[in-house]
Amino acid sequence: MATITFPVPATTTSRFAVATDGIPPDLPGLLREAAAGPFHAHIAGRLGSPQLRLTREGSATLRWDPGEIRAAVPEDRPAAHAFRDASEFAVITAYAPITDQPRSAQVARAAAYAIARATGGVPADLVTGHVLAPPNAERTRFVLADRWLGDALPPFRANGRCTAADPDLDPEGVNGCACVRLRTRGLRRFGLPELQITDVACPHDLAALNVLRTAARRLLTDHWSWLATGPAGRDRTIPAALDLTQRDFNDFWGTTRRVPLTPPSPFQLTLAPLTARLLTVAPPADFDGTINDWLWGDTLPMGMYDILKSPADPPQAA
């Protein structure tokens, strides 16, 4: 059986920023007053330690580029523009043991949300590179679909440049282009390699995205189970063949309501290392066809083709 071995870091870093034109000089004091809800005690206990550090940064002294922060969905574009145009930023950094995830990242993001509410600023995740839209509250239960993965569709049909045929109208359209490349941006903060799928035809972009989402959730579930055993080494070996089920798809969305997936379920994919920190996703080793044949055919459950946003209840604002 083919396997993949990758290094697991002892610690990981999560970074968030809040953009505004008026960051108060006493950020810790502001956060202590603004923090509320289930993460208040965690914030108070970690504030000032490497697990929760606050810095006040001006646009002239930044070591990162606000221009690289984007909107994950079209409705977030005004917030992304406001973030890039801001003159001051509150940066929240959490440097924590891998065994403290996902709590460490959740506490740091809850702090970012609290500062954003107090200042009227725009929060962003510097790991995913996306602004964080309302309701700007952190769910106590970890849900990967809550903007942790950097999962977003590319511009439709390569911003109109792609003229490949629609597979529903012309079978040649199944492999009519290879415009789409999707990559996660967020698994590394949990000690996992990122995932990538490439050479996808435009009509199959949502199916490919949901394959990445489901695979990421399964890998994360298995990863936390492995960490719970207290492994002595810092390398982890996993099978290259990954079997995914209805539960993995539901767990990504964080819903106990059954997300309708028609058979076949489970389904399998193949992982391969591109670098130590990036795995590629491909059809099963015994699949006879292209990645687009796999995405378009009857191998994947139908729910992969039409679910874009979470069916779970959104977190409520604090």
Side-chain angles (χ1 to χ4, degrees), residues 218-237:
R218 176 56 185 270
L219 287 174
L220 199 52
T221 298
D222 292 348
H223 192 58
W224 284 335
S225 295
W226 178 79
L227 287 171
T229 66
R234 299 266 37 113
D235 288 333
R236 183 174 170 220
T237 299

Side-chain angles (χ1 to χ4, degrees), residues 90-297:
V91 178
I92 302 94
T93 304
Y95 182 75
I98 190 64
T99 51
D100 193 31
Q101 298 294 1
R103 180 63 70 196
S104 173
Q106 288 183 287
V107 172
R109 195 167 73 171
Y113 284 147
I115 293 172
R117 289 193 300 270
T119 62
V122 178
D125 186 335
L126 301 187
V127 175
T128 65
H130 290 156
V131 291
L132 298 168
N136 290 1
E138 188 61 42
R139 196 195 308 260
T140 53
R141 179 170 58 95
F142 179 81
V143 174
L144 190 56
D146 286 346
R147 303 291 185 101
W148 289 111
L149 201 56
D151 51 315
L153 289 175
F156 181 70
R157 288 281 186 169
N159 275 327
R161 295 188 299 273
C162 179
T163 58
D166 186 335
D168 285 324
L169 303 176
D170 183 350
E172 294 297 323
V174 173
N175 290 288
C177 70
C179 298
V180 177
R181 183 187 73 172
L182 301 172
R183 180 185 293 186
T184 63
R185 298 176 66 183
L187 286 177
R188 64 183 181 271
R189 80 173 112 217
F190 305 120
L192 280 171
E194 302 292 350
L195 300 179
Q196 177 175 282
I197 188 169
T198 61
D199 299 324
V200 174
C202 289
H204 318 315
D205 56 358
L206 181 54
L209 182 63
N210 279 330
V211 166
L212 280 191
R213 289 165 163 173
T214 309
R217 179 63 255 193
R218 176 56 185 270
L219 287 174
L220 199 52
T221 298
D222 292 348
H223 192 58
W224 284 335
S225 295
W226 178 79
L227 287 171
T229 66
R234 299 266 37 113
D235 288 333
R236 183 174 170 220
T237 299
I238 62 173
L242 187 64
D243 292 309
L244 304 177
T245 68
Q246 168 89 44
R247 181 174 180 177
D248 300 317
F249 196 54
N250 285 358
D251 285 350
F252 171 80
W253 299 111
T255 178
T256 55
R257 300 192 296 270
R258 184 177 177 85
V259 180
L261 287 184
T262 58
S265 182
F267 65 98
Q268 189 180 86
L269 54 79
T270 300
L271 302 173
L274 191 60
T275 70
R277 287 296 175 198
L278 181 62
L279 304 180
T280 60
V281 172
D286 60 356
F287 181 78
D288 185 17
T290 68
I291 193 165
N292 292 306
D293 294 327
W294 179 60
L295 292 170
W296 182 252

Side-chain angles (χ1 to χ4, degrees), residues 37-68:
F39 289 97
H40 179 270
H42 291 283
I43 290 173
R46 297 173 185 230
L47 191 56
S49 74
Q51 292 177 304
L52 190 61
R53 285 184 174 170
L54 307 180
T55 56
R56 186 169 176 264
E57 301 181 9
S59 56
T61 59
L62 292 176
R63 296 183 180 180
W64 52 278
D65 184 4
E68 295 181 355

